[in-house]
Amino acid sequence: MQVGIDKMSFFSTDYYIDMVELAKARQAEPDKYLIGIGQTEQAVVPATQDIVTMGANAADQMLTAADRQAIEEVIVATESGVDQSKSAAVYLQRLLGINRYARTIEMKQACYSGTYALMQARDYVTLHPEAKVLVVASDIARYGIATGGEVTQGAGAVAMLVTANPKIAVINQDNVFMSDEIMDFWRPNYSTTAVVDGKFSANVYRDFFKEVWERYQEKNHQTLADFHALVFHLPYTKMGLKALRDVLPEADEDKQAQLMEAFEASRVYNKRIGNLYTGSAYLSLMSLLENDPTLQAGDKLGLFSYGSGAEGEMFSMTLQANYQDGLVANQFADLFNRRQKVSISEYEQMFNDLLFGSEDRELDTSADVAKFVLAGLKDQKRQYIER
Ligand code: COA
């Protein structure tokens, strides 16, 4: 029996900034941001969205009533959790109308935990073929205003439904993974922004990729020639490019050109949304699925997941014939048409306006057109509403 990703859906906010404008405001060369980092736009989060609402808004677009009855686990992967105790998944269960006989859990290991959640889902469905598992990777990447990492911020959520006989891709049982305790990026409980040793983290990412890729090839007797595409965790899109370039010489010229084309397709959306930590590799997968016209049923797609701290994992998927049927039609076109550009000073205000405090607060939700919004904090309880 084959198990994998049956449906995928994405949500990001209705606001963004232009990286040329950010570069100018920070006295940087625009090409550093556009080419050196590989980002053109960045999602900006209003106070009325958080990882719970973004996750609900992503998943709701793809779930049928039958799915909501059949889901046996809801797993949220995030490093922007809104509570140290209660999982975002149990909020999602209620907001999405998922049946009460589902497990709900939240997972954490920097940007990696979406991949663990996906593997837990695959393994559960392999044991229980009638079950469906909802995996949601939702994050707000926050480094701080005028910091080195600011150009690599972003936000959004990817929702994936894992089932037997999936529409999009079968997840193969070929995973290779490694962990090593490293201080390249972390976020202590007292901070709303990440602490990062940026260049070190990029080097650790590359080292992990090379080591995991070598082990993957040895274990599975595969080479680059077996893959249509390698999909990467993209904290910023140049990161994946660096990793891909590290291994490209292993392939012949034609294969190198084809893998580069696939890589370009896989970063179209990430360039415009920015980093979404746990969801970044899966946004990149969606970007590949929607922007690579040469994809064919049976193509093998490799995915490299990395989470600082640090953990890396490589696995492959086999593309299914009607993979487009598992995506929500026009979802990205609609988002990019709908969202509004804000100025750098407006973004700075919004950055400082998110709901982190303990004081009661009522938020004006009238400007937010999303179905699920955060309406404020009352008696220490976050007020999630559906419109
Ligand atoms: N035109 C084109 N490229 C330019 C340029 C220009 N005018 N000016 C600079 N660049 C290039 C640099 O050569 C460099 O390329 P390279 O990485 O291939 O060497 C790139 O732009 C970045 O420049 P750099 O001076 O290294 O930038 P920085 O000191 O501001 O740091 C990061 C960049 C990515 C380290 C920083 O943004 C960061 O810390 N981000 C968060 C890190 C992160 O996401 N870590 C998690 C990994 S999982």
Side-chain angles (χ1 to χ4, degrees):
M1 197 213 12
Q2 297 192 307
V3 174
I5 305 172
D6 187 54
K7 297 181 185 179
M8 293 184 92
S9 178
F10 178 73
F11 178 84
S12 184
T13 64
D14 282 343
Y15 304 98
Y16 73 97
I17 48 172
D18 182 306
M19 287 302 97
V20 173
E21 291 178 18
L22 184 67
K24 287 182 178 155
R26 304 294 179 245
Q27 282 89 46
E29 294 255 334
D31 278 354
K32 173 179 168 182
Y33 286 17
L34 300 175
I35 301 164
I37 301 287
Q39 294 300 130
T40 56
E41 294 170 356
Q42 182 177 109
V44 176
V45 186
T48 48
Q49 292 292 322
D50 67 8
I51 62 119
V52 171
T53 57
M54 291 194 301
N57 285 316
D60 187 64
Q61 295 179 59
M62 70 177 189
L63 295 179
T64 62
D67 291 336
R68 292 170 217 247
Q69 277 312 308
I71 287 171
E72 293 192 11
E73 293 192 5
V74 181
I75 313 177
V76 173
T78 188
E79 49 180 309
S80 323
V82 297
D83 196 291
Q84 284 285 13
S85 180
K86 182 166 177 163
S87 84
V90 75
Y91 284 115
L92 286 193
Q93 182 208 21
R94 172 176 68 81
L95 292 171
L96 294 167
I98 289 168
N99 75 86
R100 67 192 283 109
Y101 301 107
R103 282 175 167 158
T104 49
I105 192 87
E106 182 174 313
M107 295 195 164
K108 173 173 70 183
Q109 175 35 58
C111 303
Y112 164 75
S113 64
T115 298
Y116 186 89
L118 190 60
M119 295 313 146
Q120 161 63 24
R122 175 198 65 187
D123 295 348
Y124 184 84
V125 175
T126 302
L127 285 173
H128 307 277
E130 301 302 316
K132 299 184 181 196
V133 176
L134 176 63
V135 172
V136 174
S138 185
D139 266 305
I140 301 174
R142 281 171 68 86
Y143 289 88
I145 291 166
T147 60
E150 183 180 37
V151 61
T152 70
Q153 296 178 151
V158 175
M160 296 178 267
L161 191 66
V162 176
T163 68
N165 305 315
K167 285 197 268 295
I168 296 179
V170 168
I171 302 173
N172 300 315
Q173 296 272 1
D174 59 1
N175 308 51
V176 170
F177 35 81
M178 67 179 279
S179 309
D180 196 5
E181 198 271 304
I182 287 170
M183 295 303 278
D184 61 332
F185 168 112
W186 64 103
R187 184 168 69 80
N189 285 343
Y190 51 77
S191 178
T192 69
T193 52
V195 184
V196 64
D197 187 340
K199 291 197 172 120
F200 179 49
S201 75
N203 288 334
V204 178
Y205 176 119
R206 284 168 81 172
D207 290 346
F208 267 52
F209 171 60
K210 280 183 278 192
E211 192 166 340
V212 164
W213 170 239
E214 239 168 63
R215 280 176 73 87
Y216 178 90
Q217 291 181 93
E218 277 167 26
K219 180 181 163 195
N220 296 296
H221 311 291
Q222 302 278 307
T223 68
L224 272 184
D226 295 299
F227 288 86
H228 177 89
L230 292 189
V231 174
F232 291 90
H233 166 51
L234 295 179
Y236 50 99
T237 75
K238 177 75 169 288
M239 185 72 253
L241 183 60
K242 284 176 189 238
L244 180 60
R245 281 180 178 156
D246 284 340
V247 298
L248 264 188
E250 296 168 13
D252 67 30
E253 269 183 30
D254 287 352
K255 192 67 202 173
Q256 289 192 24
Q258 186 268 309
L259 286 168
M260 276 303 297
E261 267 177 45
F263 176 75
E264 288 303 332
S266 76
R267 67 168 169 165
V268 172
Y269 295 156
N270 300 69
K271 278 184 177 184
R272 301 188 63 182
I273 300 292
N275 194 358
L276 44 141
Y277 290 160
T278 50
S280 290
Y282 299 96
L283 173 60
S284 181
L285 174 61
M286 294 180 89
S287 185
L288 176 76
L289 297 178
E290 295 203 350
N291 295 293
D292 183 343
T294 68
L295 280 172
Q296 287 180 350
D299 279 348
K300 192 169 175 139
L301 313 176
L303 191 143
F304 175 67
S305 179
Y306 175 78
S308 291
E311 187 156 355
E313 180 157 340
M314 178 95 207
F315 66 95
S316 77
M317 289 166 281
T318 304
L319 193 67
Q320 301 300 288
N322 300 317
Y323 65 91
Q324 283 103 338
D325 295 348
L327 302 167
V328 179
N330 301 320
Q331 188 172 53
F332 285 91
D334 290 348
L335 170 68
F336 292 131
N337 285 335
R338 185 175 71 234
R339 64 183 197 163
Q340 304 159 30
K341 188 168 81 169
V342 294
S343 69
I344 301 306
S345 61
E346 286 168 323
Y347 138 71
E348 289 173 354
Q349 274 174 15
M350 291 167 79
F351 187 90
N352 290 322
D353 188 45
L354 298 193
L355 207 167
F356 288 117
S358 58
E359 298 291 308
D360 275 10
R361 187 173 161 200
E362 203 173 322
L363 294 167
D364 177 4
T365 58
S366 60
D368 193 331
V369 299
K371 180 168 174 183
F372 299 102
V373 293
L374 174 63
L377 189 74
K378 195 170 172 217
D379 302 331
Q380 313 250 359
K381 296 170 190 154
R382 291 172 89 83
Q383 304 294 306
Y384 292 115
I385 57 170
E386 173 182 348
R387 284 95 57 91

